[in-house]
Amino acid sequence: MITDEMINRILESYNEYGGINLANTKNFPNRQNVTDVLIELLLLLFPGFRTAEQLDDDNLRYITGGRVNRIVQLLTGEIQKALIYLSQSSGKGKTACFNLAEKTALALIEEIPEIRRKINLDTKAALAGDPAAQSTEEIILSYPGLEAVAVYRIANFLHKNGVPIIPRIMSEYIHGKTGIDIHPGATIGESFFIDHGTGVVVGETCIIGNNVKIYQGVTLGALSVKKSLQSKKRHPTIKDNVTIYAGATILGGDTIIGEGCIIGGNTWVTTSVPAGQLITI
């Protein structure tokens, strides 16, 4: 039997331990709203691939316009919440936070063609790099690596434009869905391909060049995990045209993997590797 005392104790725990997001206070962004806007953004990137909507030349403009309006409205509200939550230290008022949030949401929409250009290159890299891939359409429909990279490119744009917490919500949503954990603060070049993908970790200060291919279970992480290193480069740099095979671990902010290297599976790398090397132990 449910009693008033049970409910009272739960309410008391809210007061004592926090972890409650009230709408009538300086509330935090809502995870469901951020997930909803991310799904809409993926529909904008890949129209007709992810839902049963019927698209044709006559309705494409109408559907795209409606989607863009929903994204801007919902994303503006969630960015505003994040900015207001942090405004205790920045001194920004509600109106200023709204204006900045709306400006950022519109900037993301303006960036969509460039994000699509990059994702097109990522898709072509997957087609060229995986003998099992039959078409770009197959990759868009079924490759978790491409989906994770697409979400990264959205989240990275918001991260670079100073949006707090929302990029992390996006990256953790796709992490849970694909097993691929890419921090939105990482820097990733063009034609990036993650094959299979499960268990891949790319840290916040990692720098990855162009035409890089990595397999499942790869960690690009920090050599030392200390809060005092928060503002330091903690994760490795991967130059152009590098392939990293399954289970490899590459650690450290000073570690540089030179151009054209091949890092073998299950290797442990904590020092820099000159260009063109094959590492197998």
Side-chain angles (χ1 to χ4, degrees):
M1 179 178 178
I2 297 172
T3 65
D4 287 343
E5 178 61 25
M6 293 177 185
I7 304 302
N8 289 338
R9 288 181 62 191
I10 293 172
L11 293 173
E12 288 169 4
S13 77
Y14 294 155
N15 291 327
E16 186 171 357
Y17 307 121
I20 179 171
N21 197 13
L22 294 174
N24 60 349
T25 62
K26 293 184 177 181
N27 63 309
F28 220 52
N30 178 277
R31 184 184 179 97
Q32 184 62 59
N33 286 343
V34 173
T35 300
D36 288 347
V37 78
L38 178 60
I39 291 170
E40 290 280 4
L41 283 161
L42 290 172
L43 291 172
L44 194 63
L45 294 177
F46 305 114
F49 279 93
R50 301 176 63 85
T51 66
E53 62 187 354
Q54 298 297 310
L55 298 178
D56 54 43
D57 292 337
D58 294 328
N59 66 14
L60 182 58
R61 171 176 286 273
Y62 172 79
I63 289 175
T64 301
R67 179 156 289 135
V68 166
N69 278 307
R70 289 194 298 276
I71 290 169
V72 170
Q73 182 178 9
L74 189 54
L75 185 58
T76 296
E78 295 308 305
I79 294 175
Q80 183 186 19
K81 289 178 188 176
L83 294 175
I84 289 174
Y85 188 87
L86 297 179
S87 65
Q88 297 168 341
S89 58
S90 68
K92 288 187 177 72
K94 186 175 181 179
T95 300
C97 289
F98 174 82
N99 291 339
L100 182 56
E102 185 178 52
K103 180 180 177 181
T104 305
L106 290 170
L108 175 60
I109 296 301
E110 190 171 356
E111 185 71 7
I112 290 296
E114 173 62 11
I115 292 175
R116 294 196 79 246
R117 183 190 71 82
K118 291 178 179 178
I119 294 171
N120 181 53
L121 292 176
D122 299 327
T123 307
K124 289 179 177 178
L127 183 62
D130 184 4
Q134 300 298 313
S135 67
T136 56
E137 290 79 10
E138 177 190 2
I139 292 163
I140 291 170
L141 283 167
S142 61
Y143 276 49
L146 181 68
E147 188 173 11
V149 172
V151 171
Y152 156 78
R153 297 207 183 279
I154 294 167
N156 176 251
F157 178 85
L158 295 173
H159 177 86
K160 289 191 298 186
N161 281 271
V163 176
I165 198 60
I166 288 172
R168 287 304 305 274
I169 296 174
M170 291 179 170
S171 65
E172 289 307 318
Y173 164 78
I174 203 66
H175 177 201
K177 190 168 184 280
T178 65
I180 299 169
D181 184 3
I182 307 175
H183 194 287
T187 300
I188 299 177
E190 297 183 348
S191 300
F192 182 51
F193 176 35
I194 301 175
D195 201 359
H196 305 295
T198 304
V200 166
V201 176
V202 179
E204 178 185 17
T205 61
C206 191
I207 299 174
I208 298 174
N210 298 324
N211 303 305
V212 171
K213 177 166 67 172
I214 65 179
Y215 287 82
Q216 68 272 20
V218 167
T219 297
L220 305 178
L223 186 60
S224 177
V225 182
K226 297 178 181 178
K227 199 67 174 179
S228 60
L229 299 175
Q230 185 173 14
S231 60
K232 305 292 185 181
K233 188 178 186 305
R234 308 182 302 280
H235 307 95
T237 296
I238 313 298
K239 296 290 189 177
D240 296 348
N241 305 306
V242 169
T243 298
I244 307 172
Y245 282 99
T249 298
I250 305 173
L251 304 177
D254 295 327
T255 302
I256 299 173
I257 306 301
E259 183 172 355
C261 284
I262 297 175
I263 307 299
N266 298 313
T267 52
W268 178 272
V269 181
T270 59
T271 58
S272 294
V273 179
Q277 298 296 301
L278 170 63
I279 303 298
T280 59
I281 57 173

